[in-house]
Amino acid sequence: MFRPLIQGWKRLPAPVSVLSVRSTSNGSNCRLTLANKVAVVTGSTNGIGFSIARRLAQDGAHVVISSRKQQNVDRAVATLKEEGLSVTGTVCHVGKAEDREQLVATALESCGGVDFLVCVAGVNPLVGSTLRSSEQIWDKILGVNVKAPALLLSQLLPHMENRGQGSVVLVSSIAAYIPFPKLGVYNVSKTALLGLTKTLAVELAPKNIRVNCLAPGVINTDFGRVVRTKGKKLRTSVFQPPLLSPYRVGQPEDCAGIVSFLCSPEASYITGENIAVAGWSPHL
Ligand code: NAP
């Protein structure tokens, strides 16, 4: 297990220095750590994905926004452009091969290459028993949450390889560690992403492409509101972590800085990690 990663590590270059700067509202300069880079972010018109897209663009990357609905793509692109950020967008339902192809084509047309892939899109169409879940439900959840990131990455990989380095961030969930009741198939899909991260990190280390994973806790988004409502029983019975004080629900922005960091040269020696962003740690 250790040996292949070591072989990959030998090829990882030292971090490069970054000179680009941006003036902030208070007049000070901040470094644009992702200048001249291109990021593809799935599920990025709302919630966690939108916040990640905004942050990557604020840190200097050109970001390709995507999700299933054209009106959401248009709104997200317009909002970020109004903020002076460099973004393009296209419709991409990650479960559809032709949409993934269109996403890759959009990234290449507008930017000529891709440095980062952040896979945020995820679904949970069922609240109920794991063993009573239909085959259709299993296929839908595993297809969108697990298969799609791997298939999209395989389509983007030649273009990331051309750049000589790259960073991939998958978005799992704290449910990967502590299963939410009645979200069984979703829990399984998110646990699978932890394994996918480690497997891809080993496979892609020789290509100098790093693969890491975020495991958000309950975050204040449309999706998070459903989990908060349905997960009440979990929080009062099983899930009593040492939450940071004062208690607060996570915000999408809590997930954004860490993704920017994982894409930046500062993280060039980090791969194969699953990082909880939850106000607590499942490893405690
Ligand atoms: P959200 O606020 O509901 O946003 C979901 C985004 O994904 C939207 O932009 C939506 O736009 C897009 N989307 C949904 N299905 C898609 C598909 N099949 N293909 C492409 N885009 C799709 O959700 P969120 O809370 O930010 O969740 C994002 C990710 O974080 C999910 O993978 C979720 O499992 C994970 N997560 C969330 C929480 C939480 O508490 N919020 C906790 C742990 C993990 P369209 O409707 O236009 O497609």
Side-chain angles (χ1 to χ4, degrees):
M1 185 66 198
F2 198 51
R3 193 171 284 274
L5 269 177
I6 289 284
Q7 284 165 356
W9 284 347
K10 279 184 187 158
R11 301 184 189 195
L12 290 173
V16 290
S17 63
V18 177
L19 298 174
S20 304
V21 291
R22 153 170 78 89
S23 293
T24 61
S25 49
N26 66 10
S28 61
N29 287 333
C30 64
R31 288 192 317 162
L32 290 179
T33 49
L34 308 181
N36 304 317
K37 301 291 185 187
V38 177
V40 169
V41 187
T42 71
S44 49
T45 59
N46 213 345
I48 294 171
F50 180 72
S51 194
I52 290 171
R54 172 185 268 150
R55 178 59 189 264
L56 296 178
Q58 285 172 340
D59 288 343
H62 175 86
V63 180
V64 184
I65 305 278
S66 63
S67 78
R68 293 168 302 180
K69 297 179 195 122
Q70 184 72 56
Q71 81 235 30
N72 292 346
V73 174
D74 293 343
R75 194 202 54 235
V77 167
T79 304
L80 296 181
K81 278 190 171 165
E82 272 165 29
E83 294 173 13
L85 301 173
S86 175
V87 295
T88 45
T90 186
V91 164
C92 176
H93 181 318
V94 293
K96 295 184 177 169
E98 63 275 20
D99 281 16
R100 292 194 302 268
E101 271 161 32
Q102 179 56 43
L103 179 57
V104 175
T106 303
L108 296 180
E109 269 161 31
S110 48
C111 323
V114 174
D115 302 280
F116 315 130
L117 171 63
V118 187
C119 296
V120 187
V123 288
N124 178 59
L126 177 83
V127 177
S129 155
T130 307
L131 295 181
R132 285 200 208 116
S133 299
S134 65
E135 190 164 355
Q136 214 183 0
I137 290 287
W138 279 99
D139 287 347
K140 167 103 184 160
I141 296 179
L142 294 183
V144 169
N145 295 6
V146 185
K147 260 170 59 182
L151 293 172
L152 177 57
L153 178 55
S154 67
Q155 286 166 278
L156 280 172
L157 190 59
H159 312 291
M160 295 180 83
E161 278 185 75
N162 282 345
R163 310 284 258 206
Q165 61 183 349
S167 172
V168 178
V169 181
L170 306 180
V171 175
S172 171
S173 166
I174 208 72
Y177 296 96
I178 309 272
F180 282 70
K182 298 195 176 173
L183 301 184
V185 185
Y186 174 81
N187 298 333
V188 171
S189 74
K190 293 298 183 178
T191 307
L193 285 177
L194 307 185
L196 183 63
T197 301
K198 296 202 176 288
T199 296
L200 292 177
V202 171
E203 281 183 27
L204 299 184
K207 299 179 190 300
N208 199 13
I209 294 173
R210 299 177 294 103
V211 185
N212 293 289
C213 182
L214 211 64
V218 177
I219 305 292
N220 189 18
T221 65
D222 292 348
F223 185 92
R225 268 184 284 285
V226 176
V227 174
R228 283 217 301 286
T229 318
K230 308 285 180 195
K232 238 176 209 158
K233 192 170 159 224
L234 176 74
R235 290 201 309 283
T236 49
S237 57
V238 190
F239 183 70
Q240 293 180 330
L243 285 162
L244 292 173
S245 179
Y247 170 80
R248 68 181 178 86
V249 170
Q251 298 302 324
E253 294 73 25
D254 288 317
C255 301
I258 180 74
V259 173
S260 180
F261 166 73
L262 287 171
C263 291
S264 76
E266 312 290 338
S268 66
Y269 210 47
I270 300 175
T271 193
E273 289 296 336
N274 295 311
I275 300 167
V277 181
W280 68 291
S281 166
H283 309 297
L284 290 172

